[in-house]
Amino acid sequence: MCEANAYLLDEAGAEKLLLESVDKVYPEEDNIILESIFGERKIIKAKIVRMELVDHRIILQKQD
């Protein structure tokens, strides 16, 4: 499988799981839209810090 888990960095820099099995990522103005293979959808005001594709991880940081 090629999906990834999305993590959100907290204020201390620790990663917190936001959404598992992410299939699609859409940038939309100041938001990032994540969709999982199960149809779950999350919209968050964040930026992508990095994508670790071999490890199937997307790291996001919340924006004010």
Side-chain angles (χ1 to χ4, degrees):
M1 294 289 203
C2 297
E3 65 271 7
N5 291 335
Y7 298 87
L8 186 64
L9 292 177
D10 67 15
E11 294 172 359
E15 298 173 4
K16 183 176 180 179
L17 181 63
L18 179 64
L19 185 64
E20 292 181 301
S21 303
V22 174
D23 177 41
K24 297 175 183 166
V25 178
Y26 302 97
E28 183 183 88
E29 296 182 13
D30 293 336
N31 297 321
I32 301 289
I33 301 170
L34 305 167
E35 288 183 2
S36 76
I37 59 171
F38 305 110
E40 187 176 0
R41 189 174 211 217
K42 296 222 174 185
I43 301 172
I44 185 165
K45 188 173 182 176
K47 70 174 184 180
I48 295 173
V49 174
R50 67 182 177 274
M51 297 176 72
E52 300 171 356
L53 300 178
V54 170
D55 294 328
H56 307 274
R57 297 164 38 93
I58 301 167
I59 311 300
L60 303 172
Q61 184 172 39
K62 199 169 187 176
Q63 298 292 293
D64 295 325

